[in-house]
């Protein structure tokens, strides 16, 4: 946003040129300026002066010359005369070429605004050939799209347009605009700033676009109102960049928009796709589009010199974990979703008892807490929750004691059923050496535990509540028909990186009575392990999951971008480099990883994700809590025998 002097077009042009040059030097591809930035928005009846209109046009001529050797696309605002009409317009300029002129559609004429005193609306316009700034073109009321040389499509609306019940950006986005630019001059009032941010966020989300908003600032007339110089960049409703309000200096905000992500979101949104039918119907009857046209015309921008891409935008290394300021509220939501899902299953079945295996680890702890919450909501006795601890060959004193003390503190029914002898007998039955700690050794224990839980549920007339989480399902880190199976999986769409925060959050809801809080916090700090391999000589956990399948913080990052947006492994690798090799990694309390480590575990993720689909294809029911889920009945359907070759090849494997 440049500073302006009302009516001083040459001063304003200098400010605009300075910012264009600065942006070009930073590799910016498209820059947008505020509404009527060449003249100033608050000229009032000076807009009736021919001299002001003529000088503004001359400034565009000079701007065309200034940009002749520049690749950047510039969008500036000024008044344009078309026959008997004066229009509030945006002009699009690149490499000395005037690509197009977009007139404002909705003119505010209420309260402090009275634009209709000077300007006509695009609705008053008919397609008209004009000569402007040395260029011949036809200006039209129909929406216009612009396409860059690398295929990005953008559209333009001006200030009040986005406040209208049906903004032009609705049709622009449905017609293919990836990005919408808004040249604005919105004054400051108490409460308006927050409302404006909400409006722009919702419009960006509703249209699934990048939305770039630039509003007038210091230098506009303060005769009756003040302009704060608002600047925002949104991506599908998320605020990526925001300018400093009430700045007395020119300023520029910039960020990179992920057009591939936006297009992926649109393809997955059937409502968005269906809305395109309505647009085609309206376009086919639009007299300004040739009668039978079912698409908007697209103006092609000029080709530019290829540039090496540098990822400058940051990425959160924990996409599933809310930022600290939102963490408590989001954890509360997730926990309530889990409880309500289980509560409905309890009321539907009429069951007064549930059975859950308690290991002293994170997943079973969260499942037990969900059971307690659901029973409390239904005013059921907690004794109906049967917690079963099943010590095996790898069970350590730490997890064993935590499991028992937690169940005792929560007041649930405790059953201890050791599995050593039954598994040893099983080894004898199948002629397997107890000293052979292979996959049979591990899975025999997991299946024995599941058999116990299923049979106990029959004894008490209840059902088994599963403990497996989203991250384990993605990697297939579960024994088929073992811990993979239950009758209702409350953690099925909760990723491992979030579970730690959930348990820590829930711990804060407990007093030290019964020692529950301190037990929960110790469980949070316990290494993640299935405890199927005997402990070391010191009695400590020897089998650590993340040493085998890799860090969950990496796998959850891979999973999020693989499922949520369908990104290629090569792109996920690029984003992971940025996320786990930046200062934000330390702020988010995650480890840093070099390129070799990231690539290695990404390959592991791809191989395991593809090879383990057969486990996900027969998952028990469970509540969805976030935007990513692997339920075969809802979010993810995939053949169990799909090949991972092209995904691995994209990583150079």
């Amino acid at each position: 946003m440049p500073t302006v002097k009302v009516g001083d077009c040459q001063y304003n042009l200098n400010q605009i040129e300075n910012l264009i040059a600065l942006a070009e030097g930073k590799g910016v591809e498209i820059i947008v300026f505020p509404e009527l930035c060449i003249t100033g928005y608050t000229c009032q009846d000076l807009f009736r002066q021919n001299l002001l209109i003529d000088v503004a046009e001359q400034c565009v001529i000079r701007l065309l010359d200034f940009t002749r050797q520049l690749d950047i696309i510039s969008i500036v605002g000024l008044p344009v005369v078309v026959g008997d009409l004066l229009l509030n317009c945006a002009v699009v300029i690149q490499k000395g070429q005037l690509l197009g002129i977009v007139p404002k559609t909705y003119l505010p004429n209420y309260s402090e605004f009275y634009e209709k005193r000077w300007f006509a609306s695009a609705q008053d316009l008919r397609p008209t050939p004009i000569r402007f700034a040395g260029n011949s073109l036809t200006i039209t009321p129909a929406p216009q799209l612009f396409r860059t040389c690398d295929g990005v499509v953008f559209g333009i609306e001006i200030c009040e347009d986005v406040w209208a019940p049906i903004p032009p950006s609705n049709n622009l986005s449905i017609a293919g605009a990836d990005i919408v630019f808004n040249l604005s001059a919105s004054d400051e009032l108490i409460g308006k700033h927050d409302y404006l941010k909400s409006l722009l966020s919702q419009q960006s989300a509703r249209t699934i676009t990048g939305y770039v908003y630039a509003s007038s600032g210091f230098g506009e007339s303060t005769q009756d109102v003040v302009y704060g110089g608002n600047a925002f960049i949104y991506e599908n409703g998320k605020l990526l960049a925001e300018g400093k309000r009430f700045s007395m200096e020119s300023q520029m905000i910039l960020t990179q928009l992920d057009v591939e992500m936006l297009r992926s979101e649109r393809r997955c949104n059937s409502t968005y796709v269906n809305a395109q039918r309505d647009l085609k119907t309206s376009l086919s009857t639009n007299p300004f589009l040739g009668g039978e046209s079912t698409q908007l015309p697209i103006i092609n921008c000029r080709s530019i010199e290829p540039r090496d891409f540098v990822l400058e935008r940051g990425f959160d290394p924990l996409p599933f974990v809310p930022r600290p300021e939102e963490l408590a509220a989001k954890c509360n939501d997730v926990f309530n979703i889990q409880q309500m899902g289980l509560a409905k299953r309890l009321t539907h079945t009429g069951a007064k008892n549930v059975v859950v295996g308690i290991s002293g680890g994170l997943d079973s702890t969260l499942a037990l807490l969900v059971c307690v919450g659901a029973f409390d909501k239904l005013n059921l006795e907690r004794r109906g929750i049967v917690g079963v601890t099943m010590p095996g060959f790898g069970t350590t004193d730490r997890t064993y004691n935590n499991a028992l003390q937690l169940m005792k503190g929560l007041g649930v029914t405790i059953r201890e059923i050791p599995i050593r002898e039954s598994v040893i007998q099983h080894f004898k039955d199948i002629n397997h050496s107890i000293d052979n700690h292979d996959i049979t050794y591990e899975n025999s224990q997991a299946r024995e535990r599941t058999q116990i839980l299923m049979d106990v549920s029959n004894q008490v007339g209840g059902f088994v509540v599963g403990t497996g989480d989203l991250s384990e399902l993605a990697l297939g880190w579960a024994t088929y028909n073992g811990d993979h199976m239950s009758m209702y999986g409350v953690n099925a769409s909760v990723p491992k990186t979030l579970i730690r925060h959930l348990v820590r959050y829930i711990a804060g809801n407990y007093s030290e009575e019964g020692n529950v809080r301190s037990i929960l916090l110790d469980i949070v700090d316990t290494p993640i392990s299935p405890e199927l391999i005997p402990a070391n000589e010191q009695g400590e956990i020897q089998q650590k999951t993340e040493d085998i399948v890799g860090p969950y913080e990496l796998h959850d990052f891979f999973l999020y971008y693989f499922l949520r947006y369908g990104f290629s492994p090569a792109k996920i690798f690029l984003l992971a480099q940025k996320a786990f090799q930046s200062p934000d990694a330390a702020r988010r309390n995650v480890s840093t990883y070099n390129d070799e480590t990231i690539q290695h575990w990404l390959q592991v993720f791809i191989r395991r994700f593809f090879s383990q689909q057969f486990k996900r294809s027969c998952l028990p029911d469970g509540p969805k809590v976030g935007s990513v889920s692997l339920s075969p009945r809802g979010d993810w359907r995939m053949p169990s025998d799909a090949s991972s070759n092209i995904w691995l090849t994209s990583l150079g494997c």
Side-chain angles (χ1 to χ4, degrees), residues 19-25 27-33 66-67 69-75 93-96 99 252 304 307:
L19 288 173
I20 290 175
L22 179 62
E24 169 78 7
V28 172
E29 297 180 44
I30 308 174
I31 186 171
V32 63
F33 291 89
F66 176 79
T67 62
Q69 303 301 318
L70 304 180
D71 287 332
I72 190 172
I73 298 169
S74 303
I75 306 171
I93 293 169
Q94 184 190 23
K95 301 185 79 166
L99 301 179
M252 178 175 64
I304 63 174
R307 304 174 183 175

PDB file of all heavy atoms in Angstrom, residues 19-25 27-33 66-67 69-75 93-96 99 252 304 307:
ATOM      1  N   LEU A  19       7.242   0.650  -5.371  1.00  0.00           N
ATOM      2  CA  LEU A  19       6.809  -0.640  -4.837  1.00  0.00           C
ATOM      3  C   LEU A  19       6.871  -1.733  -5.910  1.00  0.00           C
ATOM      4  O   LEU A  19       7.195  -2.888  -5.610  1.00  0.00           O
ATOM      5  CB  LEU A  19       5.398  -0.526  -4.274  1.00  0.00           C
ATOM      6  CG  LEU A  19       5.282   0.268  -2.957  1.00  0.00           C
ATOM      7  CD1 LEU A  19       3.820   0.474  -2.572  1.00  0.00           C
ATOM      8  CD2 LEU A  19       6.024  -0.442  -1.826  1.00  0.00           C
ATOM      9  N   ILE A  20       6.553  -1.390  -7.148  1.00  0.00           N
ATOM     10  CA  ILE A  20       6.655  -2.376  -8.226  1.00  0.00           C
ATOM     11  C   ILE A  20       8.104  -2.821  -8.394  1.00  0.00           C
ATOM     12  O   ILE A  20       8.386  -4.026  -8.531  1.00  0.00           O
ATOM     13  CB  ILE A  20       6.113  -1.792  -9.552  1.00  0.00           C
ATOM     14  CG1 ILE A  20       4.595  -1.631  -9.461  1.00  0.00           C
ATOM     15  CG2 ILE A  20       6.487  -2.690 -10.727  1.00  0.00           C
ATOM     16  CD1 ILE A  20       3.979  -0.946 -10.668  1.00  0.00           C
ATOM     17  N   ALA A  21       9.028  -1.861  -8.370  1.00  0.00           N
ATOM     18  CA  ALA A  21      10.446  -2.203  -8.515  1.00  0.00           C
ATOM     19  C   ALA A  21      10.914  -3.080  -7.349  1.00  0.00           C
ATOM     20  O   ALA A  21      11.666  -4.046  -7.542  1.00  0.00           O
ATOM     21  CB  ALA A  21      11.279  -0.927  -8.595  1.00  0.00           C
ATOM     22  N   LEU A  22      10.476  -2.748  -6.151  1.00  0.00           N
ATOM     23  CA  LEU A  22      10.844  -3.538  -4.983  1.00  0.00           C
ATOM     24  C   LEU A  22      10.286  -4.959  -5.097  1.00  0.00           C
ATOM     25  O   LEU A  22      10.988  -5.942  -4.816  1.00  0.00           O
ATOM     26  CB  LEU A  22      10.305  -2.857  -3.718  1.00  0.00           C
ATOM     27  CG  LEU A  22      10.572  -3.572  -2.389  1.00  0.00           C
ATOM     28  CD1 LEU A  22      12.066  -3.690  -2.125  1.00  0.00           C
ATOM     29  CD2 LEU A  22       9.879  -2.830  -1.234  1.00  0.00           C
ATOM     30  N   ALA A  23       9.032  -5.062  -5.515  1.00  0.00           N
ATOM     31  CA  ALA A  23       8.409  -6.378  -5.653  1.00  0.00           C
ATOM     32  C   ALA A  23       9.083  -7.201  -6.750  1.00  0.00           C
ATOM     33  O   ALA A  23       9.310  -8.405  -6.589  1.00  0.00           O
ATOM     34  CB  ALA A  23       6.917  -6.212  -5.962  1.00  0.00           C
ATOM     35  N   GLU A  24       9.407  -6.574  -7.867  1.00  0.00           N
ATOM     36  CA  GLU A  24      10.091  -7.275  -8.951  1.00  0.00           C
ATOM     37  C   GLU A  24      11.416  -7.845  -8.470  1.00  0.00           C
ATOM     38  O   GLU A  24      11.783  -8.984  -8.790  1.00  0.00           O
ATOM     39  CB  GLU A  24      10.321  -6.316 -10.124  1.00  0.00           C
ATOM     40  CG  GLU A  24      11.248  -6.819 -11.208  1.00  0.00           C
ATOM     41  CD  GLU A  24      10.602  -7.809 -12.147  1.00  0.00           C
ATOM     42  OE1 GLU A  24       9.376  -8.012 -12.040  1.00  0.00           O
ATOM     43  OE2 GLU A  24      11.307  -8.380 -13.004  1.00  0.00           O
ATOM     44  N   GLY A  25      12.130  -7.069  -7.670  1.00  0.00           N
ATOM     45  CA  GLY A  25      13.403  -7.530  -7.127  1.00  0.00           C
ATOM     46  C   GLY A  25      13.256  -8.713  -6.189  1.00  0.00           C
ATOM     47  O   GLY A  25      14.196  -9.505  -6.020  1.00  0.00           O
ATOM     48  N   GLY A  27      11.082 -11.083  -6.706  1.00  0.00           N
ATOM     49  CA  GLY A  27      10.538 -12.200  -7.463  1.00  0.00           C
ATOM     50  C   GLY A  27       9.033 -12.298  -7.443  1.00  0.00           C
ATOM     51  O   GLY A  27       8.465 -13.344  -7.792  1.00  0.00           O
ATOM     52  N   VAL A  28       8.334 -11.220  -7.045  1.00  0.00           N
ATOM     53  CA  VAL A  28       6.870 -11.232  -7.000  1.00  0.00           C
ATOM     54  C   VAL A  28       6.327 -11.321  -8.426  1.00  0.00           C
ATOM     55  O   VAL A  28       6.820 -10.646  -9.334  1.00  0.00           O
ATOM     56  CB  VAL A  28       6.340  -9.967  -6.297  1.00  0.00           C
ATOM     57  CG1 VAL A  28       4.816  -9.873  -6.409  1.00  0.00           C
ATOM     58  CG2 VAL A  28       6.770  -9.960  -4.837  1.00  0.00           C
ATOM     59  N   GLU A  29       5.306 -12.125  -8.620  1.00  0.00           N
ATOM     60  CA  GLU A  29       4.724 -12.304  -9.947  1.00  0.00           C
ATOM     61  C   GLU A  29       3.548 -11.378 -10.203  1.00  0.00           C
ATOM     62  O   GLU A  29       3.335 -10.943 -11.332  1.00  0.00           O
ATOM     63  CB  GLU A  29       4.293 -13.760 -10.127  1.00  0.00           C
ATOM     64  CG  GLU A  29       5.463 -14.744 -10.076  1.00  0.00           C
ATOM     65  CD  GLU A  29       5.008 -16.181 -10.252  1.00  0.00           C
ATOM     66  OE1 GLU A  29       4.171 -16.439 -11.142  1.00  0.00           O
ATOM     67  OE2 GLU A  29       5.490 -17.043  -9.497  1.00  0.00           O
ATOM     68  N   ILE A  30       2.737 -11.109  -9.166  1.00  0.00           N
ATOM     69  CA  ILE A  30       1.572 -10.237  -9.318  1.00  0.00           C
ATOM     70  C   ILE A  30       1.512  -9.309  -8.103  1.00  0.00           C
ATOM     71  O   ILE A  30       1.634  -9.767  -6.964  1.00  0.00           O
ATOM     72  CB  ILE A  30       0.259 -11.034  -9.404  1.00  0.00           C
ATOM     73  CG1 ILE A  30       0.342 -12.123 -10.476  1.00  0.00           C
ATOM     74  CG2 ILE A  30      -0.908 -10.093  -9.711  1.00  0.00           C
ATOM     75  CD1 ILE A  30      -0.872 -13.043 -10.512  1.00  0.00           C
ATOM     76  N   ILE A  31       1.293  -8.013  -8.364  1.00  0.00           N
ATOM     77  CA  ILE A  31       1.155  -7.048  -7.272  1.00  0.00           C
ATOM     78  C   ILE A  31      -0.127  -6.253  -7.485  1.00  0.00           C
ATOM     79  O   ILE A  31      -0.478  -5.916  -8.622  1.00  0.00           O
ATOM     80  CB  ILE A  31       2.382  -6.102  -7.186  1.00  0.00           C
ATOM     81  CG1 ILE A  31       2.278  -5.204  -5.954  1.00  0.00           C
ATOM     82  CG2 ILE A  31       2.563  -5.290  -8.465  1.00  0.00           C
ATOM     83  CD1 ILE A  31       3.551  -4.409  -5.675  1.00  0.00           C
ATOM     84  N   VAL A  32      -0.851  -5.999  -6.405  1.00  0.00           N
ATOM     85  CA  VAL A  32      -2.095  -5.244  -6.492  1.00  0.00           C
ATOM     86  C   VAL A  32      -2.022  -4.040  -5.566  1.00  0.00           C
ATOM     87  O   VAL A  32      -1.431  -4.106  -4.473  1.00  0.00           O
ATOM     88  CB  VAL A  32      -3.313  -6.135  -6.141  1.00  0.00           C
ATOM     89  CG1 VAL A  32      -3.238  -6.637  -4.703  1.00  0.00           C
ATOM     90  CG2 VAL A  32      -4.620  -5.399  -6.388  1.00  0.00           C
ATOM     91  N   PHE A  33      -2.612  -2.933  -6.003  1.00  0.00           N
ATOM     92  CA  PHE A  33      -2.611  -1.686  -5.244  1.00  0.00           C
ATOM     93  C   PHE A  33      -4.046  -1.316  -4.860  1.00  0.00           C
ATOM     94  O   PHE A  33      -5.009  -1.908  -5.369  1.00  0.00           O
ATOM     95  CB  PHE A  33      -1.983  -0.576  -6.093  1.00  0.00           C
ATOM     96  CG  PHE A  33      -0.508  -0.758  -6.319  1.00  0.00           C
ATOM     97  CD1 PHE A  33      -0.049  -1.489  -7.412  1.00  0.00           C
ATOM     98  CD2 PHE A  33       0.420  -0.232  -5.446  1.00  0.00           C
ATOM     99  CE1 PHE A  33       1.308  -1.680  -7.622  1.00  0.00           C
ATOM    100  CE2 PHE A  33       1.787  -0.418  -5.641  1.00  0.00           C
ATOM    101  CZ  PHE A  33       2.225  -1.140  -6.736  1.00  0.00           C
ATOM    102  N   PHE A  66       7.365   2.240 -17.793  1.00  0.00           N
ATOM    103  CA  PHE A  66       8.196   1.832 -16.653  1.00  0.00           C
ATOM    104  C   PHE A  66       8.282   0.310 -16.550  1.00  0.00           C
ATOM    105  O   PHE A  66       9.319  -0.239 -16.162  1.00  0.00           O
ATOM    106  CB  PHE A  66       7.599   2.416 -15.363  1.00  0.00           C
ATOM    107  CG  PHE A  66       8.314   1.992 -14.114  1.00  0.00           C
ATOM    108  CD1 PHE A  66       9.511   2.589 -13.737  1.00  0.00           C
ATOM    109  CD2 PHE A  66       7.794   0.980 -13.304  1.00  0.00           C
ATOM    110  CE1 PHE A  66      10.173   2.199 -12.576  1.00  0.00           C
ATOM    111  CE2 PHE A  66       8.453   0.583 -12.152  1.00  0.00           C
ATOM    112  CZ  PHE A  66       9.644   1.195 -11.793  1.00  0.00           C
ATOM    113  N   THR A  67       7.206  -0.368 -16.896  1.00  0.00           N
ATOM    114  CA  THR A  67       7.159  -1.829 -16.725  1.00  0.00           C
ATOM    115  C   THR A  67       7.583  -2.597 -17.977  1.00  0.00           C
ATOM    116  O   THR A  67       7.516  -3.820 -17.995  1.00  0.00           O
ATOM    117  CB  THR A  67       5.726  -2.278 -16.350  1.00  0.00           C
ATOM    118  OG1 THR A  67       4.828  -1.934 -17.418  1.00  0.00           O
ATOM    119  CG2 THR A  67       5.270  -1.621 -15.057  1.00  0.00           C
ATOM    120  N   GLN A  69      10.268  -3.545 -19.284  1.00  0.00           N
ATOM    121  CA  GLN A  69      11.298  -4.578 -19.118  1.00  0.00           C
ATOM    122  C   GLN A  69      11.057  -5.452 -17.883  1.00  0.00           C
ATOM    123  O   GLN A  69      11.925  -6.232 -17.504  1.00  0.00           O
ATOM    124  CB  GLN A  69      12.684  -3.919 -19.016  1.00  0.00           C
ATOM    125  CG  GLN A  69      13.065  -3.041 -20.196  1.00  0.00           C
ATOM    126  CD  GLN A  69      13.058  -3.809 -21.497  1.00  0.00           C
ATOM    127  OE1 GLN A  69      13.531  -4.961 -21.563  1.00  0.00           O
ATOM    128  NE2 GLN A  69      12.520  -3.204 -22.548  1.00  0.00           N
ATOM    129  N   LEU A  70       9.874  -5.320 -17.284  1.00  0.00           N
ATOM    130  CA  LEU A  70       9.583  -6.052 -16.050  1.00  0.00           C
ATOM    131  C   LEU A  70       8.594  -7.184 -16.315  1.00  0.00           C
ATOM    132  O   LEU A  70       7.623  -7.018 -17.059  1.00  0.00           O
ATOM    133  CB  LEU A  70       9.007  -5.109 -14.986  1.00  0.00           C
ATOM    134  CG  LEU A  70       9.856  -3.884 -14.630  1.00  0.00           C
ATOM    135  CD1 LEU A  70       9.149  -3.060 -13.556  1.00  0.00           C
ATOM    136  CD2 LEU A  70      11.240  -4.298 -14.163  1.00  0.00           C
ATOM    137  N   ASP A  71       8.822  -8.326 -15.690  1.00  0.00           N
ATOM    138  CA  ASP A  71       7.910  -9.468 -15.839  1.00  0.00           C
ATOM    139  C   ASP A  71       6.679  -9.352 -14.958  1.00  0.00           C
ATOM    140  O   ASP A  71       5.638  -9.954 -15.232  1.00  0.00           O
ATOM    141  CB  ASP A  71       8.644 -10.772 -15.486  1.00  0.00           C
ATOM    142  CG  ASP A  71       9.637 -11.191 -16.566  1.00  0.00           C
ATOM    143  OD1 ASP A  71       9.411 -10.852 -17.738  1.00  0.00           O
ATOM    144  OD2 ASP A  71      10.635 -11.842 -16.216  1.00  0.00           O
ATOM    145  N   ILE A  72       6.763  -8.596 -13.877  1.00  0.00           N
ATOM    146  CA  ILE A  72       5.702  -8.551 -12.877  1.00  0.00           C
ATOM    147  C   ILE A  72       4.395  -8.013 -13.463  1.00  0.00           C
ATOM    148  O   ILE A  72       4.394  -7.114 -14.306  1.00  0.00           O
ATOM    149  CB  ILE A  72       6.159  -7.682 -11.673  1.00  0.00           C
ATOM    150  CG1 ILE A  72       5.172  -7.813 -10.514  1.00  0.00           C
ATOM    151  CG2 ILE A  72       6.337  -6.229 -12.087  1.00  0.00           C
ATOM    152  CD1 ILE A  72       5.675  -7.145  -9.241  1.00  0.00           C
ATOM    153  N   ILE A  73       3.286  -8.594 -13.024  1.00  0.00           N
ATOM    154  CA  ILE A  73       1.949  -8.125 -13.394  1.00  0.00           C
ATOM    155  C   ILE A  73       1.497  -7.137 -12.321  1.00  0.00           C
ATOM    156  O   ILE A  73       1.497  -7.466 -11.126  1.00  0.00           O
ATOM    157  CB  ILE A  73       0.953  -9.292 -13.497  1.00  0.00           C
ATOM    158  CG1 ILE A  73       1.391 -10.272 -14.583  1.00  0.00           C
ATOM    159  CG2 ILE A  73      -0.464  -8.779 -13.764  1.00  0.00           C
ATOM    160  CD1 ILE A  73       0.624 -11.584 -14.570  1.00  0.00           C
ATOM    161  N   SER A  74       1.088  -5.944 -12.734  1.00  0.00           N
ATOM    162  CA  SER A  74       0.677  -4.902 -11.789  1.00  0.00           C
ATOM    163  C   SER A  74      -0.790  -4.563 -11.996  1.00  0.00           C
ATOM    164  O   SER A  74      -1.249  -4.424 -13.137  1.00  0.00           O
ATOM    165  CB  SER A  74       1.528  -3.644 -11.977  1.00  0.00           C
ATOM    166  OG  SER A  74       2.906  -3.942 -11.834  1.00  0.00           O
ATOM    167  N   ILE A  75      -1.512  -4.426 -10.885  1.00  0.00           N
ATOM    168  CA  ILE A  75      -2.934  -4.088 -10.931  1.00  0.00           C
ATOM    169  C   ILE A  75      -3.131  -2.790 -10.153  1.00  0.00           C
ATOM    170  O   ILE A  75      -2.893  -2.746  -8.935  1.00  0.00           O
ATOM    171  CB  ILE A  75      -3.795  -5.200 -10.313  1.00  0.00           C
ATOM    172  CG1 ILE A  75      -3.482  -6.556 -10.965  1.00  0.00           C
ATOM    173  CG2 ILE A  75      -5.277  -4.880 -10.466  1.00  0.00           C
ATOM    174  CD1 ILE A  75      -4.122  -7.742 -10.261  1.00  0.00           C
ATOM    175  N   ILE A  93      -1.482  -4.479 -15.958  1.00  0.00           N
ATOM    176  CA  ILE A  93      -0.340  -4.092 -16.782  1.00  0.00           C
ATOM    177  C   ILE A  93       0.777  -5.115 -16.627  1.00  0.00           C
ATOM    178  O   ILE A  93       1.060  -5.585 -15.517  1.00  0.00           O
ATOM    179  CB  ILE A  93       0.175  -2.691 -16.366  1.00  0.00           C
ATOM    180  CG1 ILE A  93      -0.866  -1.623 -16.699  1.00  0.00           C
ATOM    181  CG2 ILE A  93       1.517  -2.376 -16.999  1.00  0.00           C
ATOM    182  CD1 ILE A  93      -0.562  -0.266 -16.097  1.00  0.00           C
ATOM    183  N   GLN A  94       1.427  -5.439 -17.746  1.00  0.00           N
ATOM    184  CA  GLN A  94       2.604  -6.317 -17.700  1.00  0.00           C
ATOM    185  C   GLN A  94       3.488  -6.048 -18.911  1.00  0.00           C
ATOM    186  O   GLN A  94       3.003  -5.998 -20.045  1.00  0.00           O
ATOM    187  CB  GLN A  94       2.203  -7.790 -17.685  1.00  0.00           C
ATOM    188  CG  GLN A  94       3.397  -8.737 -17.550  1.00  0.00           C
ATOM    189  CD  GLN A  94       3.035 -10.187 -17.785  1.00  0.00           C
ATOM    190  OE1 GLN A  94       2.055 -10.491 -18.443  1.00  0.00           O
ATOM    191  NE2 GLN A  94       3.849 -11.083 -17.253  1.00  0.00           N
ATOM    192  N   LYS A  95       4.778  -5.880 -18.661  1.00  0.00           N
ATOM    193  CA  LYS A  95       5.783  -5.734 -19.715  1.00  0.00           C
ATOM    194  C   LYS A  95       5.373  -4.681 -20.745  1.00  0.00           C
ATOM    195  O   LYS A  95       5.490  -4.869 -21.956  1.00  0.00           O
ATOM    196  CB  LYS A  95       6.044  -7.076 -20.405  1.00  0.00           C
ATOM    197  CG  LYS A  95       6.529  -8.164 -19.459  1.00  0.00           C
ATOM    198  CD  LYS A  95       6.888  -9.447 -20.157  1.00  0.00           C
ATOM    199  CE  LYS A  95       8.256  -9.333 -20.801  1.00  0.00           C
ATOM    200  NZ  LYS A  95       8.791 -10.665 -21.215  1.00  0.00           N
ATOM    201  N   GLY A  96       4.884  -3.536 -20.248  1.00  0.00           N
ATOM    202  CA  GLY A  96       4.513  -2.432 -21.123  1.00  0.00           C
ATOM    203  C   GLY A  96       3.207  -2.616 -21.866  1.00  0.00           C
ATOM    204  O   GLY A  96       2.872  -1.821 -22.746  1.00  0.00           O
ATOM    205  N   LEU A  99      -3.184  -5.166 -20.355  1.00  0.00           N
ATOM    206  CA  LEU A  99      -3.849  -6.446 -20.584  1.00  0.00           C
ATOM    207  C   LEU A  99      -5.364  -6.358 -20.486  1.00  0.00           C
ATOM    208  O   LEU A  99      -6.083  -7.110 -21.156  1.00  0.00           O
ATOM    209  CB  LEU A  99      -3.332  -7.490 -19.586  1.00  0.00           C
ATOM    210  CG  LEU A  99      -1.833  -7.779 -19.621  1.00  0.00           C
ATOM    211  CD1 LEU A  99      -1.475  -8.812 -18.567  1.00  0.00           C
ATOM    212  CD2 LEU A  99      -1.408  -8.251 -21.000  1.00  0.00           C
ATOM    213  N   MET A 252       4.514  -3.113   1.921  1.00  0.00           N
ATOM    214  CA  MET A 252       4.157  -4.193   1.008  1.00  0.00           C
ATOM    215  C   MET A 252       4.187  -5.495   1.787  1.00  0.00           C
ATOM    216  O   MET A 252       5.130  -5.771   2.517  1.00  0.00           O
ATOM    217  CB  MET A 252       5.155  -4.249  -0.153  1.00  0.00           C
ATOM    218  CG  MET A 252       4.893  -5.387  -1.140  1.00  0.00           C
ATOM    219  SD  MET A 252       6.000  -5.325  -2.575  1.00  0.00           S
ATOM    220  CE  MET A 252       7.586  -5.589  -1.783  1.00  0.00           C
ATOM    221  N   ILE A 304       7.147 -14.821 -19.527  1.00  0.00           N
ATOM    222  CA  ILE A 304       8.217 -14.226 -18.728  1.00  0.00           C
ATOM    223  C   ILE A 304       9.427 -15.140 -18.726  1.00  0.00           C
ATOM    224  O   ILE A 304       9.352 -16.305 -19.090  1.00  0.00           O
ATOM    225  CB  ILE A 304       7.756 -13.964 -17.273  1.00  0.00           C
ATOM    226  CG1 ILE A 304       7.414 -15.296 -16.583  1.00  0.00           C
ATOM    227  CG2 ILE A 304       6.576 -13.016 -17.238  1.00  0.00           C
ATOM    228  CD1 ILE A 304       7.088 -15.140 -15.109  1.00  0.00           C
ATOM    229  N   ARG A 307      12.216 -18.626 -13.870  1.00  0.00           N
ATOM    230  CA  ARG A 307      12.953 -18.341 -12.636  1.00  0.00           C
ATOM    231  C   ARG A 307      13.082 -19.619 -11.823  1.00  0.00           C
ATOM    232  O   ARG A 307      12.207 -20.468 -11.843  1.00  0.00           O
ATOM    233  CB  ARG A 307      12.230 -17.286 -11.785  1.00  0.00           C
ATOM    234  CG  ARG A 307      11.952 -15.974 -12.495  1.00  0.00           C
ATOM    235  CD  ARG A 307      11.103 -15.065 -11.616  1.00  0.00           C
ATOM    236  NE  ARG A 307      10.745 -13.829 -12.282  1.00  0.00           N
ATOM    237  CZ  ARG A 307       9.925 -12.913 -11.772  1.00  0.00           C
ATOM    238  NH1 ARG A 307       9.373 -13.122 -10.588  1.00  0.00           N
ATOM    239  NH2 ARG A 307       9.652 -11.810 -12.428  1.00  0.00           N
TER     240      ARG A 307
END
